Amino acid sequence: MKTVSRGKGSVRKETKETLKPVDDRKLGKRKAAVKADKKPAKKGKAAKKDPNKPKRPPSAFFVFLEEFRKTFKKENPDIKAVSAVGKAGGEKWKSMSAAEKAPYEAKAAKKKAEYGSLMNAYNKKQVNARSNYCRMPISLSILCYLQFIASFWSYWWYPLLSCI
């Protein structure tokens, strides 16, 4: 073990693991340096989600999984793990032919079209709400500014002009 000092009073111990070469040619594997002091990344504030926004439609696989989950539960009532259902559904989906997947893809396409129309309506509502909201403060601020300028001129400049 080797001690290395950096700057005022900070001492870092380097072990053999961090001093190993990056390429290990005998094994053919790369070894990354070990990072002991890793700070968690700071997460910014997430934008607030609108509860009125339509939810995205499921893909063909998830449409299939809805039906598969029901049959799997009937066949295997003792298995309660969600991961087991997902794994079994994934294996079955991979083994299915394109013809077997076609009805699920058609349902997914139909749900996607419905989602598109709902999103268009939602976006129109958002644009209308924003345009109505933004006009009011701008017009009021301009009115207040013009009133301020008029009062400023009448109070400060007119008396000065009369003195000249």
Side-chain angles (χ1 to χ4, degrees), residues 13-162:
K13 294 182 179 181
E14 294 185 7
T15 60
K16 290 182 181 179
E17 294 170 356
T18 59
L19 296 174
K20 281 187 177 179
V22 177
D23 268 337
D24 190 359
R25 303 210 187 275
K26 293 177 184 175
L27 298 175
K29 295 180 181 178
R30 289 184 62 104
K31 292 193 177 187
V34 178
K35 293 183 181 179
D37 298 331
K38 189 173 181 182
K39 294 180 182 178
K42 292 183 179 179
K43 295 180 181 178
K45 291 184 179 179
K48 293 182 180 177
K49 294 184 180 179
D50 186 3
N52 298 326
K53 186 175 181 179
K55 293 192 172 153
R56 292 189 66 169
S59 65
F61 172 70
F62 284 105
V63 173
F64 159 75
L65 203 59
E66 288 174 10
E67 293 180 12
F68 178 79
R69 192 175 288 118
K70 294 173 187 172
T71 58
F72 187 81
K73 293 270 184 182
K74 288 179 184 175
E75 293 171 2
N76 306 309
D78 55 330
I79 299 176
K80 301 201 178 192
V82 176
S83 60
V85 178
K87 285 179 185 178
E91 289 171 9
K92 178 144 189 199
W93 180 257
K94 286 178 186 176
S95 66
M96 289 171 69
S97 67
E100 292 173 329
K101 291 180 182 179
Y104 302 110
E105 290 170 353
K107 288 179 186 177
K110 184 179 177 184
K111 288 184 179 185
K112 188 174 182 180
E114 290 174 7
Y115 171 76
S117 63
L118 288 173
M119 277 303 290
N120 287 337
Y122 172 78
N123 288 334
K124 286 179 184 176
K125 285 181 185 177
Q126 292 296 103
V127 169
N128 289 339
R130 284 186 191 144
S131 63
N132 290 338
Y133 176 74
C134 292
R135 284 186 190 152
M136 184 83 120
I138 292 171
S139 62
L140 284 176
S141 63
I142 291 171
L143 183 65
C144 290
Y145 177 72
L146 292 174
Q147 190 175 9
F148 168 76
I149 295 294
S151 65
F152 177 79
W153 273 97
S154 64
Y155 188 77
W156 288 103
W157 289 105
Y158 289 137
L160 289 175
L161 291 174
S162 64

